Amino acid sequence: MKTILVVDDEPRTREGIRKTLEIWSSGHHEIITSSSAVEALDWLSSYKAQLIITDIRMPEISGLELIEQLGDSPHHPSVIVISGHAEFDYAQRALRYGVVEYLLKPIDKKKLIAAVELALKRNNDFDQIEQMKRLVDAKLIETAQEDRLYSEPIKEAIQYLDQHLHEPVSLRDLSLVLHMNSSYLSVLFKEQTGLTFSNYLTRKRIQRAKELLAGTRLSIAEISEQVGYQTSKYFVKVFKSSENTSPAKYRRQVIDNIGEKIQ
């Protein structure tokens, strides 16, 4: 359930928006109201909203100042601004902060609902992009995109590693499989992929672990085994070093962000 926060110091406008959105959402969204930006910021310090609908002119803190203060938030909500006047300067500033829509009072209900639907869609799109960033290792993607330029031994090395992530593979093991000198293989691997053998293998294992954490019910110990770590304790240590969080917390965060249960 997504949360929409309505911020307006005029009770009639605030309640009108709330009632319109409650009828539109049919219980699928939580509609919260605040009578000031100060009250809204206090609420936002403990809770999260996916969309904020705020008046421009309010006492103490204006709607624009509210948006500015939200700029540093890691979960920046979509914003719709409402105003009693067609103030060009305000509109310009609002658009610079990524405001989805600028609505004039008295508010047309159809325009309000259309703006809300657009804002929530943009919020979903942003969440999906952020989610992909959490799931995918950009350096591995870059490495994969350049594989056509690799020599045959490095292509074979990458293919072998991808197929044997669940096994304890060392550079010496790989050099024996490819019938190459291990020192030469190490230099060639780094030269062509931009990653050392150990760094590539670790990134690949963590990437696979993230996929399993997000998409399966496997336990941490089972995932540890599937990505080639002999003990779950060492796997957790490596994962924390790479992602700045534990595998269990990562799984919870991913599931919370996409709003779905693990299949």
Side-chain angles (χ1 to χ4, degrees):
M1 182 180 288
K2 291 187 178 293
T3 300
I4 300 171
L5 176 62
V6 181
V7 189
D8 198 308
D9 61 318
E10 297 178 6
R12 186 175 176 181
T13 302
R14 187 171 67 244
E15 287 305 301
I17 293 173
R18 181 185 64 79
K19 288 177 182 177
T20 298
L21 294 182
E22 285 184 345
I23 292 169
W24 161 78
S25 71
S26 300
H28 292 101
H29 299 81
E30 184 177 18
I31 316 299
I32 304 295
T33 61
S34 289
S35 60
S36 70
V38 173
E39 185 181 310
L41 286 169
D42 183 58
W43 185 87
L44 288 165
S45 67
S46 301
Y47 304 97
K48 187 170 76 170
Q50 283 69 44
L51 170 61
I52 294 176
I53 302 172
T54 181
D55 191 9
I56 281 282
R57 291 190 173 184
M58 291 183 291
E60 296 184 84
I61 298 177
S62 71
L64 281 178
E65 289 172 321
L66 169 62
I67 298 166
E68 288 171 5
Q69 291 195 38
L70 291 172
D72 296 328
S73 169
H75 303 288
H76 197 291
S78 296
V79 179
I80 294 171
V81 164
I82 54 179
S83 176
H85 307 279
E87 298 158 303
F88 181 72
D89 288 343
Y90 277 156
Q92 258 196 333
R93 286 178 64 191
L95 290 171
R96 279 205 302 271
Y97 289 109
V99 169
V100 175
E101 187 63 88
Y102 190 97
L103 300 175
L104 293 177
K105 297 178 182 179
I107 299 169
D108 181 281
K109 291 182 180 180
K110 289 183 179 179
K111 287 184 178 179
L112 172 64
I113 291 169
V116 167
E117 289 175 345
L118 175 62
L120 291 175
K121 182 183 183 302
R122 287 191 182 179
N123 187 271
N124 281 336
D125 291 344
F126 177 79
D127 285 348
Q128 287 171 3
I129 290 169
E130 289 302 304
Q131 182 61 23
M132 286 303 295
K133 286 180 181 177
R134 288 185 59 78
L135 282 170
V136 177
D137 187 321
K139 186 62 180 175
L140 286 180
I141 291 178
E142 182 185 328
T143 301
Q145 289 173 339
E146 297 295 324
D147 65 351
R148 67 186 184 284
L149 304 176
Y150 299 158
S151 63
E152 205 55 42
I154 298 305
K155 287 181 181 178
E156 290 179 19
I158 288 175
Q159 184 179 23
Y160 183 86
L161 291 175
D162 290 352
Q163 293 173 351
H164 294 80
L165 284 179
H166 59 289
E167 299 174 8
V169 182
S170 67
L171 179 63
R172 184 173 180 278
D173 294 332
L174 185 59
S175 64
L176 290 173
V177 170
L178 299 176
H179 307 292
M180 294 177 68
N181 176 276
S182 59
S183 297
Y184 176 65
L185 175 60
S186 175
V187 171
L188 195 64
F189 196 96
K190 175 69 166 65
E191 187 179 85
Q192 293 189 24
T193 67
L195 296 169
T196 64
F197 163 80
S198 60
N199 189 221
Y200 177 87
L201 185 57
T202 299
R203 282 174 178 267
K204 201 70 181 176
R205 282 175 167 164
I206 295 301
Q207 175 66 59
R208 180 60 181 147
K210 289 195 289 185
E211 292 167 3
L212 293 172
L213 286 166
T216 75
R217 292 180 180 271
L218 292 174
S219 68
I220 303 301
E222 289 171 323
I223 290 173
S224 168
E225 187 177 343
Q226 287 209 15
V227 297
Y229 291 101
Q230 294 182 338
T231 68
S232 56
K233 184 178 180 181
Y234 184 61
F235 164 62
V236 170
K237 180 182 178 182
V238 175
F239 193 95
K240 277 185 177 179
S241 176
S242 171
E243 303 300 312
N244 294 316
T245 189
S246 70
K249 285 183 179 178
Y250 175 87
R251 171 176 268 170
R252 287 197 297 272
Q253 288 166 357
V254 167
I255 295 168
D256 288 345
N257 284 343
I258 61 178
E260 296 175 352
K261 293 182 179 180
I262 296 174
Q263 298 300 310

